Amino acid sequence: MHTPEAQQIIFFLIAAAALGLLVTEWLRVDIVAVLIILALAISGILKPQDAFSGLSSEPAVIVAAIFVLSRALQLSGLSDMVAGWIVRAAGKRESRVLAVMMLGVSAFATFTEHVTPTAIMMPALLKLSRERGIPASKLLMPLSFAASLGSTIALIGAPAFLFSSTLLQQAGRPGLSLFSITPVGLALAILGVLYVLLIGRFLLPANKGRGSGSDLFQTGRYLAELTVLPDSALVGAHLEQLRGAGLSSFELIKWLRNGESLRRPFGKQVLEPGDTLLIHLTSDELATLRQEPDGLKLKPVEQFDRPGAQSEGPGEELSAHMVQAVVMPRSQLVGATIRELGLQRKYGVVALAVSREGTPASEEIDRVRLRVGDVLVLEGDEAEIQELTRDQPGLMLAPFPGQPRPRKARVAAAIMAATIGLASASLLPLPVVLVAGALAMVLFGCVTVNQAYQAIDTRIFVFIAGAIPLGLAMQKTGAAERIAHLLQGVMGGWPPMATLFALFAVAALVTQVLSDAGTLSIFGPVAIALAHALGRPPEPYVLAIAFAAVTGFVTPIAHWGNLLVFGPGNYRFSDFVKVGTPLTVLIGLVVAWLTPIVFA
């Protein structure tokens, strides 16, 4: 057996090595997590069952369930519907757009993995930017901030808060409930909106953004033709009712009836059998229509009467082979129309849709003259497609990214509402409720089994599994108490608010290079030990670290959401420093003031 001093030395060596690997990114975070687990078990710092306890811990299970629930909301179309509501309510003035968008995204992010709202809203905001003349850079950074602030409203919003609850339980305190942090989170979300409206938007650059000129191509939108079948339930329906038929984000280009184009506006027009709609839609919507037509059929398929891609069950993958084919420079296809190519006649391949960078195509599919860079969505047997590419080397194949979306928005909304209701009532443990909710999404066809497994980010899952025993080892070896004793000597006479703000500031800087779970694993046990040494409740101290880990907006590398908007917003590194640092300081002051009141 090692002496307590030797155990602390071994622990600090393991922690230092882990920190170095995480900061330098020499190894993936999940590999580092496994190394942490093995090092703690082999060195004898923890028993094997304790070292591997993170794999079955509540935070790891909850995070996995949240990934599945978030993916189900996306694939069911509910996320797109929410994004559409936010955009339609945003109005035209920049201040209203920012206020509505940030409040809506914060609410959206409360119960989803926080990158999801950013990824879903970004294409819609780029389009809104172009249509309403608002620079994209004025919208995208506030979007990322709002998603992170929304994740502070409920315990399941970010791994940092789940990890905080586990650390408190390890220290002999009650864990946090689903809405324990809600008063603080709501205050931070409102603070974020007010800051952006009164200060931040004047500090943001006025860039159009890299996605504004060609986001049709960059966001995976395609031009397709739909035919209304005679027996369709949509006959007599208005255009907006298509949004409930798997087309939540479509854009109508032309409405053809008996070969003639109908005139806008279309508000009073209803669908008739044989109508052809020329629309822009996403890859997922295209895949959904191909699999579950529901009274609408892609016109190229209807013309050639291919057997199509029917699934054996709701939400299953397409059985037909769909690929993307990019028209390369010097291709013989440049300048030819799809009709002239005779793909069906020569090869048995159907062109379902086309995507074009820059000015979108707006003609019927078979009349589009191909340009370099055009992307065709082709369907056919693998042998047929291979024969086509052998004869036409100017076509470069790429996987089709679309995932069919079952039209289960209402079902997904009901399941999510029931899950939140049960979790709020605390009738069952939170992991049980969330796993049951994720399973219900699978059983009711909102997401397939394969999609559910693919939704789980195994790197984050495994990293949390390694971070939890690291925090446990810090407590068991007395390392947390040793560091807390040193801090007590410095902060012993400080007011509680000053101590909490200092902890927040340090954690906010560290989280620029570590994940939120990584920051909690290092500083969380120290914060709890410091609170005990000062004779104060530990909840405000560990949560000061958690809030800092989630809302440290000082640089673009702090959060995935910031990195996601960095390129499309055409930002510079200094833009995040200039806009994010004052907001981070204000958040730190509110956290230091409010958490002792909430957790008195």
Side-chain angles (χ1 to χ4, degrees):
M1 288 290 294
H2 299 295
T3 64
E5 292 77 11
Q7 285 189 328
Q8 290 178 15
I9 292 173
I10 294 171
F11 170 80
F12 282 126
L13 290 174
I14 294 172
L19 181 61
L21 290 172
L22 291 171
V23 171
T24 59
E25 297 184 347
W26 288 346
L27 295 174
R28 286 173 31 146
V29 293
D30 48 347
I31 300 298
V32 175
V34 174
L35 290 174
I36 290 171
I37 293 171
L38 292 176
L40 293 174
I42 293 172
S43 65
I45 297 295
L46 293 179
K47 296 178 181 179
Q49 59 266 34
D50 291 332
F52 287 93
S53 61
L55 291 170
S56 59
S57 64
E58 288 190 4
V61 173
I62 290 173
V63 165
I66 289 296
F67 277 125
V68 175
L69 289 168
S70 297
R71 187 61 173 153
L73 297 183
Q74 286 181 272
L75 292 178
S76 67
L78 182 60
S79 293
D80 285 335
M81 289 177 62
V82 172
W85 294 336
I86 294 172
V87 169
R88 287 194 290 275
K92 296 182 179 180
R93 290 187 297 111
E94 179 183 306
S95 57
R96 177 174 172 174
V97 170
L98 285 168
V100 171
M101 179 273 292
M102 292 189 70
L103 289 173
V105 168
S106 294
F108 188 12
T110 301
F111 303 105
T112 61
E113 197 276 321
H114 80 280
V115 177
T116 299
T118 306
I120 290 172
M121 286 297 302
M122 187 167 66
L125 289 182
L126 285 170
K127 180 182 175 184
L128 183 147
S129 164
R130 185 175 65 252
E131 291 178 348
R132 302 181 190 177
I134 302 173
S137 59
K138 297 285 188 180
L139 302 176
L140 296 188
M141 193 186 300
L143 165 66
S144 177
F145 289 175
S148 292
L149 290 170
S151 67
T152 68
I153 296 175
L155 190 71
I156 59 177
F161 300 114
L162 298 170
F163 197 4
S164 297
S165 182
T166 297
L167 289 175
L168 288 168
Q169 289 173 323
Q170 290 175 352
R173 302 284 293 190
L176 301 172
S177 65
L178 180 62
F179 294 113
S180 293
I181 61 174
T182 299
V184 183
L186 286 175
L188 296 184
I190 294 171
L191 171 67
V193 175
L194 293 175
Y195 169 79
V196 168
L197 291 178
L198 300 177
I199 301 173
R201 67 190 179 111
F202 302 107
L203 300 177
L204 285 163
N207 303 328
K208 283 187 176 180
R210 296 177 187 173
S212 58
S214 59
D215 64 299
L216 175 72
F217 180 78
Q218 293 182 1
T219 59
R221 296 183 71 82
Y222 300 83
L223 177 74
E225 288 181 77
L226 299 183
T227 296
V228 181
L229 301 178
D231 59 350
S232 172
L234 293 170
V235 171
H238 291 283
L239 195 63
E240 280 301 307
Q241 292 175 257
L242 288 177
R243 299 192 187 277
L247 298 173
S248 55
S249 63
F250 81 97
E251 179 184 357
L252 181 64
I253 306 302
K254 282 184 181 179
W255 188 338
L256 300 173
R257 180 172 293 161
N258 299 323
E260 299 292 329
S261 181
L262 300 185
R263 292 185 178 182
R264 297 175 185 271
F266 301 128
K268 295 183 179 180
Q269 293 283 357
V270 295
L271 295 170
E272 295 185 3
D275 281 359
T276 296
L277 304 176
L278 205 63
I279 65 172
H280 288 152
L281 74 174
T282 66
S283 58
D284 290 341
E285 290 169 338
L286 180 60
T288 300
L289 284 171
R290 188 63 190 102
Q291 179 172 300
E292 302 178 48
D294 196 22
L296 296 170
K297 204 164 189 178
L298 291 164
K299 187 175 180 180
V301 176
E302 192 260 346
Q303 285 178 326
F304 298 117
D305 196 29
R306 287 185 62 85
Q310 300 300 324
S311 63
E312 296 181 0
E316 292 298 329
E317 288 77 5
L318 294 167
S319 58
H321 192 55
M322 297 175 67
V323 297
Q324 293 188 119
V326 184
V327 180
M328 303 300 290
R330 295 184 295 278
S331 170
Q332 297 177 356
L333 306 180
V334 175
T337 66
I338 295 175
R339 176 184 294 177
E340 291 168 351
L341 295 177
L343 299 180
Q344 168 70 15
R345 185 181 70 256
K346 294 179 181 178
Y347 306 101
V349 174
V350 175
L352 301 180
V354 62
S355 177
R356 171 168 292 170
E357 184 175 10
T359 304
S362 57
E363 303 173 279
E364 289 88 335
I365 294 293
D366 60 355
R367 297 182 181 179
V368 173
R369 292 201 175 273
L370 297 178
R371 302 176 185 174
V372 173
D374 282 355
V375 181
L376 299 175
V377 179
L378 305 176
E379 180 185 292
D381 295 338
E382 288 195 42
E384 296 170 339
I385 292 174
Q386 289 175 0
E387 182 183 358
L388 168 63
T389 53
R390 281 196 299 267
D391 289 352
Q392 299 291 345
L395 284 178
M396 183 181 71
L397 297 186
F400 178 64
Q403 291 283 351
R405 293 187 174 188
R407 294 170 201 123
K408 301 282 187 177
R410 292 181 180 179
V411 175
I415 293 172
M416 197 67 192
T419 302
I420 295 168
L422 285 172
S424 304
S426 300
L427 298 175
L428 293 169
L430 186 58
V432 174
V433 173
L434 293 177
V435 170
L439 180 60
M441 291 291 192
V442 174
L443 294 177
F444 283 91
C446 299
V447 63
T448 68
V449 174
N450 288 341
Q451 289 165 347
Y453 280 118
Q454 292 167 3
I456 299 171
D457 190 328
T458 53
R459 292 176 303 172
I460 295 178
F461 178 86
V462 175
F463 181 71
I464 290 173
I468 286 175
L470 189 66
L472 181 61
M474 182 175 273
Q475 291 182 349
K476 285 195 170 184
T477 59
E481 286 75 8
R482 179 180 287 269
I483 298 174
H485 181 73
L486 296 174
L487 292 177
Q488 183 185 12
V490 177
M491 301 180 178
W494 291 15
M497 184 172 174
T499 305
L500 291 171
F501 182 79
L503 289 174
F504 181 97
V506 172
L509 291 174
V510 171
T511 202
Q512 305 307 307
V513 293
L514 289 183
S515 67
D516 57 348
T519 303
L520 255 294
S521 67
I522 294 172
F523 291 98
V526 174
I528 293 175
L530 177 61
H532 286 155
L534 296 174
R536 296 168 186 164
E539 286 81 2
Y541 286 77
V542 71
L543 285 174
I545 305 296
F547 280 112
V550 175
T551 62
F553 300 131
V554 179
T555 70
I557 62 175
H559 304 289
W560 281 109
N562 289 356
L563 290 172
L564 197 63
V565 303
F566 186 80
N570 203 15
Y571 294 112
R572 295 179 298 175
F573 191 95
S574 59
D575 292 330
F576 280 85
V577 177
K578 181 170 61 176
V579 181
T581 301
L583 177 58
T584 303
V585 171
L586 290 173
I587 290 171
L589 291 172
V590 171
V591 168
W593 165 67
L594 195 55
T595 49
I597 297 174
V598 174
F599 295 95

